[in-house]
């Protein structure tokens, strides 16, 4: 049992070498498309990997951008963010930590269909996920007071979110409307019957003045 555990630990630490990374890739690979059932897997933690997802969604390994999109998509399919706030690559036999500067995904395109309560806002991420915002995939808006900016996020799966790219954010805000929520008039957007407040309507008016 000890030998097996030590071997698995060693297999992840050697992922800092090219052959080690290839081994990790082979273990992450799976049949079919879409995200792997990482929420059902409970492997041991095997250490951290020198891999980072930058704020613009670019993946780096050993300080070098990963230029192969199929490889990025493969890794993204085995991502999981746990209750400890950390993000991991998870396979049935191992869990390794990686660094994420902001959100692991970027929403690079959106589509709006329907209107009113029947309106649906759909996002496409930089790694190919298609997400319909709604009760199960909520939108949240973070007000960056230090920059005066607004950062929208949409839940993709599990605890993993996509940051809505700035051009897409402007398009999203263009579908906003004033809606009364809890007795307060809010500027908000609707999708799949859910209402997502962006900011108080009077705050928006002050910013637009």
């Amino acid at each position: 049992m000890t030998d097996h555990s030590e071997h698995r630990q060693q297999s992840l630490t050697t992922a800092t070498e090219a052959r080690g990374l290839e081994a990790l890739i082979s273990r992450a690979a799976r049949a079919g498309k879409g995200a792997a059932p990482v929420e059902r897997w409970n492997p041991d933690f095997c250490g951290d990997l020198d891999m980072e997802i930058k704020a613009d969604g670019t993946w780096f390994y050993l300080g070098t951008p990963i230029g192969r999109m199929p490889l990025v998509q493969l890794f993204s399919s085995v991502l999981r963010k746990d209750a400890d706030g950390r993000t991991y690559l998870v396979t049935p036999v191992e869990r390794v930590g990686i660094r994420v500067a902001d959100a692991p995904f970027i929403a690079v395109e959106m589509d709006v269909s329907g209107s009113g309560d029947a309106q649906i806002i759909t996002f496409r991420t930089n790694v190919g996920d298609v997400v319909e915002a709604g009760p199960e995939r909520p939108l949240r808006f973070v007000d960056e007071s230090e920059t005066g900016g607004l950062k929208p996020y949409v839940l993709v799966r599990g605890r993993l979110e996509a940051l809505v790219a700035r051009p897409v954010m402007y398009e999203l805000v263009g579908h906003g409307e004033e809606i009364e929520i809890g007795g307060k008039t809010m500027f908000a957007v609707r999708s799949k019957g859910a209402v997502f407040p962006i900011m108080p309507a009077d705050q928006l008016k002050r910013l637009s003045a």
Side-chain angles (χ1 to χ4, degrees):
M1 186 68 157
T2 302
D3 290 344
H4 178 71
S5 177
E6 290 177 352
H7 175 74
R8 184 165 58 213
Q9 180 74 22
Q10 184 180 10
S11 72
L12 263 295
T13 57
T14 56
T16 56
E17 303 172 3
R19 290 177 64 96
L21 183 60
E22 290 172 3
L24 179 60
I25 292 168
S26 69
R27 290 190 290 271
R30 71 204 183 285
K33 297 182 179 180
V38 293
E39 305 299 331
R40 299 204 299 264
W41 297 339
N42 190 32
D44 293 335
F45 175 64
C46 300
D48 292 323
L49 196 63
D50 188 5
M51 185 177 287
E52 181 177 11
I53 306 174
K54 299 291 189 180
D56 65 356
T58 303
W59 288 59
F60 280 73
Y61 176 67
L62 295 178
T64 302
I66 300 176
R68 294 168 52 199
M69 180 50 66
L71 185 54
V72 169
Q73 291 174 323
L74 171 62
F75 283 137
S76 73
S77 71
V78 293
L79 273 183
R80 190 177 78 194
K81 185 174 182 180
D82 286 359
D84 61 5
R86 297 197 60 200
T87 303
Y88 301 90
L89 295 175
V90 182
T91 75
V93 298
E94 60 206 332
R95 176 168 54 98
V96 295
I98 68 169
R99 302 184 303 278
V100 180
D102 194 337
F105 310 127
I106 304 292
V108 295
E109 187 178 5
M110 66 169 278
D111 176 77
V112 178
S113 61
S115 61
D117 288 337
Q119 178 170 281
I120 299 176
I121 301 174
T122 305
F123 296 94
R124 178 179 65 83
T125 73
N126 59 319
V127 293
D129 295 296
V130 176
V131 182
E132 290 184 349
E136 296 181 355
R137 300 288 184 271
L139 278 161
R140 69 182 181 96
F141 296 83
V142 176
D143 186 3
E144 287 193 303
S145 56
E146 66 275 10
T147 64
L150 186 69
K151 295 174 69 174
Y153 297 84
V154 60
L155 185 65
V156 176
R157 60 179 180 272
R159 297 182 179 90
L160 300 172
E161 292 182 310
L163 171 66
V164 179
R166 190 158 296 275
V168 182
M169 181 199 72
Y170 292 133
E171 185 179 355
L172 174 64
V173 170
H175 292 276
E177 56 185 297
E178 292 189 0
I179 301 173
E180 188 169 313
I181 302 174
K184 189 172 185 178
T185 303
M186 300 291 294
F187 184 67
V189 292
R190 304 175 188 262
S191 186
K192 297 189 75 172
V195 175
F196 303 107
I198 299 174
M199 65 178 66
D202 57 356
Q203 179 183 344
L204 177 63
K205 289 174 183 175
R206 287 196 302 271
L207 293 174
S208 303

